[in-house]
Amino acid sequence: MPLTTYWLEHAWLGTHVEPGVALEAGTDGRITALRTGTDTPPPGAEVLRGLTLPGLANAHSHAFHRALRGSVQVGSGTFWTWRELMYRAAQNLTPDNYFALARAVYAEMALAGITNVGEFHYVHHAPGGTPYADPNAMGEALIEAAAAAGIRITLLDTAYLSSGFGEAPNAHQQRFSDGSADAWAERVSALKPREHALIGAAVHSVRAVPAGQLATVARWAEEHRAPLHVHLSEQTAENDACQAAHGRTPTQLLADHGVLGPRTTGVHNTHLTDTDIALLGGTGTGTCMCPTTERDLADGIGPATRLQQAGSPLSLGSDSHAVVDLLEEARAMELNERLRSRTRGHWTANALLTAATADGHAALGLTDAGRLEAGALADFTTVALDSVRTAGPLPRLGAETAVFAATAADVRHTVVAGRHVVRDGHHTLVADVPSALSEAIAALRA
């Protein structure tokens, strides 16, 4: 017997918008049936008016960066001055206050239609680098925060061992480091997946993991069949330092040590050579673009079109959470390319939504999510088509309306594993998300 029947006024089915769709979610949290041509709601069905999409996948998140919103927009500066402010916030994190902050941030994501987050997690130990009694206390706090907010998480536990090529971690970075990749692998192996959580791996960057230890991280991910993410060529300074230390680009260095491949995702991939693009595409390594962060930090515009054409699947992330809005990330990727090329239409709305859904979930290790079809996880979100931003276009243009006009504020419902997490714009588990955010961020300043 199905747990719940939902009637979708309009549904995006990957290639087009279909009116009148009945979706049955089973007790296992999966879609058991999908019926089109259902003009009226079946008896007892939950009615979702608007455009229902598969749940959005936020493939790159640093939850504690949400505490920086507003303050890092004061004045001018560079990525590197921004990083100093980020380090200050990281120093104040504890397992308890990180749980509170992440719960509120993940609830904000649910309100934005996000059903799965890839948390690029590197704040592992107490200040000074002393492990907690449970060496994975910080990672466990994030996993529990996702459960409390009602969304899925892929915890991308991150190896972060150096402040630069051949340099020891600085005072801020000591709590990020396990000392060696072998020690990192031993610690992360104690983390266990659960119903709402997968465990993945990350190389923070080529500057933060010595070249001789990259293979250890890659081997752990291979043995555990886990996703592997890496910040890649976000800054030209990283490229220059890598060339000076190793005589090659960061992409070439990763290729030399077996890091690239179809379970690997490079985050940003902004400043690449033609050879880099060919290496990433040829190995099937993914690309996670984070346009709102990349523009906030003045990083530059990555070659997303060329990467995809070369064979690199695209996903999207909110990264520093300057905003939490995957529809804006999708829109920004296309509009950035228009500004650079002075031509329009590099991706269709369907292609941009695929990056935000199916390909994003795949980058996080979920190949059975991001589609509205029988057998897939019953994770989906509904965008209003009658707000001041979305009213007017024909419903069959719902994909275009969602990508090029809607915002996170237009998300009306979010369902995870067949159960409402957001109903009529209100979170069902976190009663007052703005207050939860305010209180958690204030506690970090105390």
Side-chain angles (χ1 to χ4, degrees), residues 235-316:
Q235 292 287 322
T236 56
E238 176 186 296
N239 290 359
D240 295 342
C242 190
Q243 284 283 359
H246 297 289
R248 61 203 63 224
T249 68
T251 300
Q252 291 169 321
L253 187 67
L254 294 174
D256 289 347
H257 292 275
V259 176
L260 304 184
R263 280 199 308 279
T264 300
T265 297
V267 181
H268 303 303
N269 293 1
T270 307
H271 303 285
L272 303 177
T273 67
D274 292 346
T275 300
D276 293 340
I277 292 171
L279 275 171
L280 293 168
T283 55
T285 301
T287 294
C288 179
M289 302 297 289
C290 306
T292 65
T293 291
E294 290 150 6
R295 73 190 184 199
D296 183 53
L297 298 180
D299 286 342
I301 300 171
T305 52
R306 294 181 60 205
L307 282 160
Q308 189 171 52
Q309 289 163 2
S312 179
L314 299 179
S315 56
L316 297 164

Side-chain angles (χ1 to χ4, degrees), residues 78 83 115 121 170 202 291 399:
T78 67
R83 190 174 72 159
T115 57
H121 166 56
N170 65 31

Side-chain angles (χ1 to χ4, degrees), residues 51 53 325 327-328 331 349 353 383-385 390 397-407 410:
L51 175 69
L53 311 166
D325 189 338
L327 299 175
E328 171 62 19
R331 174 164 56 245
L353 286 177
V383 176
L385 294 179
T390 61
L397 298 176
E400 288 76 10
T401 303
V403 170
F404 292 106
T407 73
D410 296 308

Side-chain angles (χ1 to χ4, degrees), residues 29 115-118 146 150-154 195-197 366 377-379 416-417:
T115 57
N116 188 23
V117 59
I151 69 171
R152 302 183 194 275
I153 186 172
T154 296
E195 186 175 359
H196 77 291
L366 283 177
L377 292 172
D379 299 354
V416 179

